[in-house]
Amino acid sequence: MSIDTVEDSTFRGRVHLINPDAWQVPSKPTFPMALLVDAWFLLTNGYLRNDDDRVPRGDRYPFSKERGKEIVAGMRLKDDFQELHDFIFGKELRVDTAGYLLADDGRTLLEPRRRAKDVYELGGGSGQDEISHYVQTASNAEAFAQRTADVVTAYHSGPVRKVPLWSEVATVEDEYQPWEPGESREEMATWQGPADLEYWRVWRLLETRPFEDRPYVDITVTVSDPAYLEHMTDGMRWSTTHTGRV
């Protein structure tokens, strides 16, 4: 995802298609909402940086990691973003070895004593860190969609640009999966128009192209309050696994 401009309550950018498992840009507004949450999470944890130009499709961020953390820490709606993140991935709960709920310090037993599983619908996430044991609640797609409806007031995505032609796809030989008898390589070379990104051989061609020559979609997103965009800035770019689903 790359951000071109942020103006008041609207941002414009490009969704770059870099993986054959995600060859479409989701049409539902939960997708740009998830992108905003993703950027918030990356900045909060210092994961978004300005990669060296030699890194293929590297991240771009015009500020330091420290400045990024300061920006998200000062956001008016930072608590909203934490809740939205918890809707997607589940909320992390501190527990003791018996599963009883602890305070955020990971030591103080909450009163009245209650096991996390008796109070919350838990997901599959659990573990232990330097603070305590923890479990995670289940994701909540319905709550995320409802919140999105209040936040994303407009979302437009354009056509896919820089899609290769079928005739170009037909010229690429895959070293590990070469064309087989019966496949229509010669016929494909005569086909007109852009290729279908769902077809796996298209990606054998795309992986030979520089990032700037790969397919992308322009998007424009407007939110209900410019505070939801306080962490966004012109020139940001990052890879994301979000596909609009929770």
Side-chain angles (χ1 to χ4, degrees):
M1 180 67 207
S2 61
I3 305 299
D4 295 327
T5 62
V6 181
E7 300 175 352
D8 192 39
S9 298
T10 298
F11 77 84
R12 294 175 175 82
R14 292 181 176 183
V15 180
H16 306 270
L17 304 176
I18 61 175
N19 192 301
D21 292 333
W23 55 272
Q24 291 178 308
V25 175
S27 59
K28 294 183 178 181
T30 48
F31 176 60
M33 186 77 259
L35 293 178
L36 293 177
V37 174
D38 193 32
W40 168 86
F41 174 81
L42 293 174
L43 291 170
T44 297
N45 292 278
Y47 296 149
L48 188 54
R49 60 192 180 280
N50 205 39
D51 283 329
D52 189 282
D53 289 339
R54 293 171 294 181
V55 178
R57 70 169 193 265
D59 290 350
R60 295 289 180 267
Y61 188 61
F63 307 119
S64 67
K65 294 180 183 180
E66 292 71 23
R67 179 56 185 147
K69 290 183 178 181
E70 290 176 356
I71 290 173
V72 291
M75 291 176 64
R76 289 192 287 119
L77 298 176
K78 60 183 178 181
D79 292 339
D80 288 43
F81 275 92
Q82 182 62 64
E83 187 173 26
L84 286 161
H85 182 271
D86 292 344
F87 287 154
I88 298 175
F89 295 105
K91 179 180 176 61
E92 188 175 279
L93 305 172
R94 296 287 169 187
V95 296
D96 65 11
T97 55
Y100 285 97
L101 289 166
L102 300 175
D104 291 340
D105 62 11
R107 296 186 299 272
T108 306
L109 189 65
L110 293 178
E111 296 292 347
R113 292 175 22 138
R114 297 172 299 170
R115 283 192 173 93
K117 66 179 182 179
D118 296 331
V119 181
Y120 298 95
E121 179 185 354
L122 300 182
S126 64
Q128 182 179 5
D129 57 20
E130 68 278 4
I131 300 174
S132 71
H133 291 272
Y134 62 84
V135 294
Q136 285 182 296
T137 63
S139 60
N140 192 333
E142 182 178 354
F144 185 75
Q146 290 175 349
R147 183 66 63 82
T148 296
D150 294 332
V151 175
V152 178
T153 59
Y155 167 44
H156 172 75
S157 59
V160 184
R161 303 186 184 279
K162 294 197 175 181
V163 178
L165 301 175
W166 282 116
S167 56
E168 294 176 296
V169 176
T171 65
V172 177
E173 182 76 50
D174 185 349
E175 178 182 358
Y176 299 103
Q177 293 179 294
W179 291 78
E180 299 175 357
E183 286 192 283
S184 54
R185 181 176 188 174
E186 292 75 14
E187 180 184 351
M188 183 185 294
T190 68
W191 293 355
Q192 302 296 313
D196 185 348
L197 292 177
E198 190 175 7
Y199 182 51
W200 70 272
R201 286 199 186 274
V202 176
W203 294 88
R204 293 296 179 266
L205 170 63
L206 292 177
E207 67 188 12
T208 69
R209 293 186 169 182
F211 178 77
E212 294 73 17
D213 293 333
R214 296 190 181 192
Y216 70 87
V217 172
D218 290 311
I219 66 170
T220 302
V221 181
T222 301
V223 295
S224 57
D225 188 328
Y228 284 107
L229 304 183
E230 287 179 344
H231 62 312
M232 307 298 284
T233 188
D234 301 1
M236 292 174 64
R237 188 175 81 192
W238 73 96
S239 296
T240 181
T241 56
H242 285 282
T243 59
R245 295 182 179 180
V246 176

